[in-house]
Amino acid sequence: MSTPDHEPDAARPQPGAVPTPEPVSDHTTHIPILDADTEEMTASDVSAVENLPAGSAMLLVQRGPDSGARFLLDSDTVSVGRHPDSDIFLDDISVSRRHGTFTRSGGGYRVTDLGSLNGTYVNRDRIEGDVTLAGGDEVQIGKYRLIYFAGSLKGQA
C-alpha cells in the first residue's frame, strides 16, 4: 500500500531530516576485537611460564605501558592499582588507585574489580564481582592487557 504524496513515508528519510541516534549505554560491557594483536611470546617468557612454581601464577603484560613485564602471583591476595603501595603497581591514569585484587582460589586465582572507574575486563567482557581465571585468559586493567598463566598443579595432593 502506498502513501499519498502529501504524507511522509516512515521508511523513507525526509530531505533535511536529522537521524535519531541510537541510545548509548553509560557503561562499556564488552571490548570488541578490532585487530589481531596477539603478540608472540619470547623464549624467556615461555621458560618463565614452564617453570612457574606449583600453586602460583604469572601475568604477562601483552599490550600497554611496560609491555613484556611479568608479575608473579604467589600470595593469597595480590592488590593491583595505581597506588604506590599496590602489589602490582600500574602507573597509568587509566588505572584506579585501588583497582582490583587477584585472590588464590582452589588451584588458581580469581580477579575482583574494586569499583574502579574504567572497570576490569576478562577476555574483553567487563566483570561484575569476581571471575575465576583460566590459563590464557586476557585481563584488561586500564590500558594494560595482561595474559594469565597458571602454574602447574603437579606435586600437590
Side-chain angles (χ1 to χ4, degrees):
M1 177 172 165
S2 65
T3 58
D5 291 335
H6 64 276
E7 291 182 24
D9 185 355
R12 186 175 8 148
Q14 298 301 308
V18 177
T20 305
E22 293 293 320
V24 178
S25 171
D26 289 342
H27 300 292
T28 302
T29 58
H30 180 77
I31 301 173
I33 297 174
L34 297 176
D35 57 355
D37 56 3
T38 303
E39 300 291 327
E40 291 293 322
M41 289 177 55
T42 66
S44 175
D45 292 336
V46 171
S47 176
V49 169
E50 289 174 348
N51 293 309
L52 279 171
S56 68
M58 182 181 78
L59 295 168
L60 173 65
V61 180
Q62 180 183 35
R63 288 277 194 187
D66 303 325
S67 183
R70 300 181 205 148
F71 299 103
L72 183 64
L73 303 177
D74 61 351
S75 59
D76 290 338
T77 302
V78 178
S79 63
V80 59
R82 192 168 35 97
H83 192 280
D85 290 340
S86 297
D87 297 319
I88 298 176
F89 175 59
L90 300 177
D91 191 16
D92 188 83
I93 194 71
S94 63
V95 178
S96 294
R97 294 181 197 286
R98 306 225 188 260
H99 199 101
T101 58
F102 291 89
T103 308
R104 194 184 320 253
S105 170
Y109 280 83
R110 56 180 204 270
V111 61
T112 305
D113 185 86
L114 297 177
S116 66
L117 180 63
N118 292 323
T120 300
Y121 295 79
V122 174
N123 297 326
R124 300 184 188 243
D125 290 321
R126 188 172 185 149
I127 65 170
E128 300 291 329
D130 60 5
V131 171
T132 300
L133 297 171
D137 280 349
E138 178 188 87
V139 178
Q140 184 164 346
I141 297 173
K143 292 181 180 178
Y144 293 83
R145 284 196 206 160
L146 309 126
I147 305 300
Y148 172 81
F149 297 97
S152 130
L153 297 176
K154 63 185 173 190
Q156 289 188 347

